[in-house]
Amino acid sequence: MDVRYPIGKLEIPQSFNEQDVRNWIEEIKALPKRLREAVSGLDGEQLNTSYRECGWTVAQVVHHLADAHMNAFIRTKLIITEDLPTVKPFEENDWAETAEARSFPIEASLKLLEGLHERWGALLESLEPEQFQRKLYHPALKTTMDLYKCVAMYAWHGKHHVAHIKNLRAQKGW
Ligand code: NI
């Protein structure tokens, strides 16, 4: 197994049906609880352990999920409220190095994700099927992307990082 991709690399779907969308939304809604379970009982030293060599610590992974998914929620809102909005890329590795994103107290990000994913899930559940074909423009990738592909990507993204933490715990016997 590649420790960077414990659940495999992201495969972006090329089509979707209503059941696919429901499944992805359920994954997004489940992430805060799954993440809280994955970090349950870890002490400061464990939270400060990299999940792989030269990789982010467990705390950085938790804060990264909050950073990335705040951006994702804003992108979702932009897609719904504007025609082909240009999204703002962010330097995720630099975001993971700021002082508060390197620190152990992860409760703020766990709470943030709980509120954020409740809003995000409710937003996605309120949409009509055709709205999942609305698009954003990503200037760094120089391409457009459908909302349903973004939703599939973030469903994968949450599970991907939870698996990093669970694998570390399994490997360390924590
Ligand atoms: Ni990530």
Side-chain angles (χ1 to χ4, degrees), residues 19 27 29 39 41 54-55 57 62 69 76-77 89 100 103 116 119 127 152 155 160 168:
Q19 187 59 49
E27 303 272 17
K29 286 167 64 182
V39 298
C54 303
T57 66
V62 172
H69 292 187
T76 305
K77 294 282 280 195
E100 94 298 346
S103 71
L116 181 67
R119 286 280 310 276
L127 301 180
H160 167 71
L168 174 68

Side-chain angles (χ1 to χ4, degrees), residues 57-115:
T57 66
V58 174
Q60 281 177 302
V61 169
V62 172
H63 296 313
H64 161 68
L65 280 165
D67 288 349
H69 292 187
M70 282 191 282
N71 277 279
F73 178 76
I74 290 168
R75 289 174 181 185
T76 305
K77 294 282 280 195
L78 289 172
I79 293 172
I80 299 310
T81 57
E82 298 179 17
D83 286 328
L84 197 61
T86 297
V87 299
K88 176 73 182 76
F90 70 103
E91 298 296 333
E92 63 175 20
N93 288 314
D94 293 337
W95 282 45
E97 296 299 333
T98 57
E100 94 298 346
R102 295 184 55 84
S103 71
F104 308 157
I106 55 172
E107 185 59 29
S109 283
L110 293 173
K111 283 193 294 199
L112 189 159
L113 284 162
E114 282 163 359

Side-chain angles (χ1 to χ4, degrees):
M1 185 193 74
D2 184 336
V3 292
R4 291 171 303 170
Y5 297 101
I7 62 166
K9 288 195 180 180
L10 169 65
E11 285 175 26
I12 296 180
Q14 297 306 315
S15 65
F16 73 103
N17 61 40
E18 289 185 39
Q19 187 59 49
D20 293 329
V21 171
R22 274 197 294 273
N23 292 345
W24 295 326
I25 295 172
E26 285 308 313
E27 303 272 17
I28 287 172
K29 286 167 64 182
L31 184 271
K33 184 163 177 281
R34 288 182 180 160
L35 182 62
R36 203 175 263 288
E37 286 165 0
V39 298
S40 166
L42 294 179
D43 63 26
E45 194 179 329
Q46 290 167 326
L47 290 171
N48 197 33
T49 303
S50 298
Y51 78 88
R52 65 177 170 86
E53 204 175 334
C54 303
W56 286 335
T57 66
V58 174
Q60 281 177 302
V61 169
V62 172
H63 296 313
H64 161 68
L65 280 165
D67 288 349
H69 292 187
M70 282 191 282
N71 277 279
F73 178 76
I74 290 168
R75 289 174 181 185
T76 305
K77 294 282 280 195
L78 289 172
I79 293 172
I80 299 310
T81 57
E82 298 179 17
D83 286 328
L84 197 61
T86 297
V87 299
K88 176 73 182 76
F90 70 103
E91 298 296 333
E92 63 175 20
N93 288 314
D94 293 337
W95 282 45
E97 296 299 333
T98 57
E100 94 298 346
R102 295 184 55 84
S103 71
F104 308 157
I106 55 172
E107 185 59 29
S109 283
L110 293 173
K111 283 193 294 199
L112 189 159
L113 284 162
E114 282 163 359
L116 181 67
H117 279 238
E118 195 176 332
R119 286 280 310 276
W120 195 11
L123 172 63
L124 293 170
E125 285 179 332
S126 75
L127 301 180
E128 298 298 330
E130 59 271 18
Q131 289 181 286
F132 288 92
Q133 285 172 313
R134 295 183 64 86
K135 290 174 176 54
L136 59 72
Y137 178 71
H138 197 296
L141 304 177
K142 292 186 169 47
T143 187
T144 62
M145 197 175 200
D146 297 70
L147 177 56
Y148 79 86
K149 294 183 182 183
C150 299
V151 175
M153 184 176 81
Y154 287 109
W156 172 87
H157 186 248
K159 290 191 293 184
H160 167 71
H161 285 299
V162 166
H164 287 149
I165 298 169
K166 286 186 164 177
N167 280 357
L168 174 68
R169 294 188 75 151
Q171 179 202 325
K172 299 276 191 187
W174 291 344

